[in-house]
Amino acid sequence: MTRSNTGQSRLALHGGSPIRTNNLPYGRQEIDEEDIAAVVDVLRSDWLTTGPQIAQFEYDFASATSAKYAVALSSGTAALHAAMYAIGIKPGDEVIVSTMTFAASANCVVYQGGKPVFADVDSGTLLLDPDEVERLLSDRTRAVVAVDYAGQPCDYERLRVLADKHRFTLVSDACHAIGGTYRGVKVGSLADLSTFSFHPVKHMTTAEGGMVTTNQTEFAQRMIRFRNHGITTDHRQRDREGSWFYEMIDLGYNYRISDLQCALGRSQLSKLPSSVIRRQEIASIYDEAFAKFEGVKPLTVRDKVSHAYHLYVVKILEAELGIDRGQVFQALRAEGIGVNVHYVPVHLHPFYQTKFGTSIGDCPIAEEAYAQILSLPIFPAMSNTDVDDVVSAFHKVCDKSNW
Ligand SMILES: *Cc1c(COP(=O)(O)O)cnc(C)c1O
């Protein structure tokens, strides 16, 4: 029993009984016996890392996203770094990055010595605004990182036109959007390079892990080398010189993923379609509940999009509720509802303000949204009762007379 039935209207924040006595997190992984068995099989095999599971996982992932190549790495951040390396980002280059994202979407540019140029977002979807990209283009722009915020694909149609016209590489940070589509095309095939994360809070997990998909052979080859210290093994040369032979031709990293993780990834991937459907079901219950709810406004969903719903985000409108996002956040947390805020716009982080001279006012739409947004619990194992608890807690907390 998680629902309490005393002190209905007194906020838990003020000493009343909470809607839930056990906390409902905003996201959570789902691991079943099949997943466990897949990992145990690898533990009993000869290959804990650099074995057959890696190529298998890449093959499965490329198939699932309709991409020609998938390159697996140790994290989503490593995937973004590898993408920047594949493009050849170097000092003097600029990369336009959506500011409404996790810091890693921009940090990868800095790893390569490039300069992230932060772009504002559309106020309804919080997705990268192509007009902003056009405004920020310069003769140094080498790439654009579009972030499929919350799980819906960006406007890749317009971004593609811009990329072809101005000859930049289009990167999709699709860490939120695996399983989504735009105009029937799968996320993973919508940009020149698409990056994914398998952190436990994402749609599918390998504990830590990431992937880049691409259709370009050279990008794939460069990333495979990059994740393994910049080492190549030319098989013909190896045959000639002896099987011990290898050469390091550029500076890479150890960004490898293990076979244990890839076995888990393959097992998780097989359940992705049903888990995305469950996320969409939960989102539609929320949509219905908030449609008539003054002062709580879900983000809008673009046409021709299948939204993968890594996050379900609403805006808290203080002018209508008489209470602000910070208050709603505190009160919901006290009710046992694990809400969160995604994200502090990246250009506002002290690192970027200090090192790149960004400041408040650079991206006004993202900054305004940041003061209003709240991410609600959404994960496949959530029951409809859990969803009802969230909605009940909103009714309780957003009623000014309960304060
Ligand atoms: C999770 C995430 C990352 C980083 O992934 P890690 O696997 O944690 O390194 C990058 N970008 C976005 C948008 C993310 O959500």
Side-chain angles (χ1 to χ4, degrees):
M1 204 51 189
T2 59
R3 203 184 279 269
S4 67
N5 46 20
T6 50
Q8 301 283 18
S9 60
R10 188 151 180 235
L11 299 181
L13 190 65
H14 298 155
S17 307
I19 296 274
R20 291 175 68 100
T21 49
N22 65 336
N23 183 59
L24 181 68
Y26 89 86
R28 194 187 139 72
Q29 76 272 16
E30 213 178 332
I31 300 289
D32 64 16
E33 290 305 318
E34 249 173 47
D35 295 327
I36 293 166
V39 175
V40 170
D41 280 349
V42 175
L43 280 169
R44 295 205 169 98
S45 78
D46 291 336
W47 299 92
L48 300 187
T49 190
T50 323
Q53 290 295 326
I54 296 161
Q56 282 289 345
F57 184 33
E58 291 172 335
Y59 177 85
D60 292 354
F61 200 90
S63 309
T65 51
S66 306
K68 198 161 168 194
Y69 303 101
V71 177
L73 298 111
S74 54
S75 71
T77 303
L80 282 158
H81 189 182
M84 292 301 124
Y85 174 83
I87 298 164
I89 299 302
K90 59 182 186 316
D93 291 344
E94 292 180 359
V95 177
I96 297 172
V97 183
S98 171
T99 195
M100 187 49 84
T101 185
F102 183 56
S105 312
N107 295 350
C108 61
V109 179
V110 184
Y111 296 155
Q112 287 297 112
K115 179 187 171 192
V117 175
F118 293 100
D120 212 343
V121 292
D122 172 82
S123 70
T125 59
L126 305 190
L127 296 175
L128 179 62
D129 179 354
D131 288 338
E132 272 288 284
V133 172
E134 220 165 349
R135 191 177 69 79
L136 295 168
L137 280 167
S138 81
D139 53 10
R140 293 186 179 157
T141 308
R142 292 285 313 279
V144 168
V145 178
V147 179
D148 294 341
Y149 179 79
Q152 70 169 320
C154 294
D155 187 352
Y156 289 106
E157 212 172 12
R158 274 200 62 201
L159 291 170
R160 171 50 59 201
V161 171
L162 289 175
D164 290 346
K165 184 170 166 203
H166 300 281
R167 293 206 246 124
F168 60 77
T169 304
L170 184 54
V171 179
S172 165
D173 180 340
C175 289
H176 295 185
I178 175 78
T181 64
Y182 176 47
R183 290 179 170 268
V185 180
K186 287 175 175 155
V187 166
S189 292
L190 288 161
D192 298 314
L193 293 145
S194 303
T195 66
F196 300 89
S197 163
F198 307 128
H199 183 275
V201 89
K202 306 292 162 69
H203 287 71
M204 49 175 282
T205 190
T206 60
E208 298 282 358
M211 191 78 80
V212 186
T213 56
T214 184
N215 285 342
Q216 296 185 38
T217 311
E218 201 195 323
F219 282 162
Q221 285 171 345
R222 283 174 62 80
M223 292 188 291
I224 287 166
R225 212 163 65 213
F226 183 68
R227 76 172 167 196
N228 191 33
H229 309 280
I231 287 170
T232 57
T233 44
D234 178 328
H235 290 287
R236 269 172 306 168
Q237 201 170 2
R238 235 184 175 177
D239 289 344
R240 219 165 38 238
E241 306 272 347
S243 62
W244 44 266
F245 186 79
Y246 66 83
E247 279 178 312
M248 184 195 132
I249 62 164
D250 200 358
L251 186 63
Y253 292 78
N254 177 354
Y255 277 163
R256 296 187 305 263
I257 190 170
S258 70
D259 281 58
L260 295 174
Q261 292 167 300
C262 289
L264 179 56
R266 291 178 68 200
S267 182
Q268 290 263 302
L269 182 61
S270 70
K271 290 156 222 167
L272 180 73
S274 59
S275 84
V276 170
I277 288 169
R278 179 60 190 152
R279 285 174 182 273
Q280 291 172 338
E281 274 171 17
I282 293 167
S284 70
I285 302 174
Y286 279 145
D287 283 345
E288 205 174 315
F290 292 116
K292 298 174 292 267
F293 203 118
E294 259 178 55
V296 179
K297 201 172 153 223
L299 296 186
T300 52
V301 180
R302 302 173 58 234
D303 278 350
K304 304 189 174 90
V305 149
S306 175
H307 195 316
Y309 285 108
H310 164 55
L311 301 174
Y312 188 92
V313 177
V314 296
K315 287 187 183 173
I316 304 298
L317 307 178
E318 186 185 355
E320 290 178 33
L321 291 176
I323 42 178
D324 67 19
R325 191 274 313 276
Q327 292 173 298
V328 174
F329 177 93
Q330 293 285 358
L332 285 171
R333 281 279 180 100
E335 299 296 337
I337 308 298
V339 285
N340 222 315
V341 175
H342 299 94
Y343 294 94
V344 179
V346 182
H347 72 280
L348 297 181
H349 285 303
F351 173 80
Y352 284 104
Q353 297 207 37
T354 312
K355 303 275 191 207
F356 290 90
T358 59
S359 66
I360 295 180
D362 287 356
C363 300
I365 296 170
E367 289 165 23
E368 189 190 4
Y370 167 54
Q372 302 176 319
I373 49 178
L374 212 49
S375 304
L376 275 46
I378 188 165
F379 54 93
M382 245 178 110
S383 68
N384 287 3
T385 311
D386 292 333
V387 183
D388 291 344
D389 283 347
V390 177
V391 175
S392 304
F394 261 90
H395 279 287
K396 185 177 174 186
V397 157
C398 293
D399 184 343
K400 186 79 198 297
S401 68
N402 289 337
W403 282 76

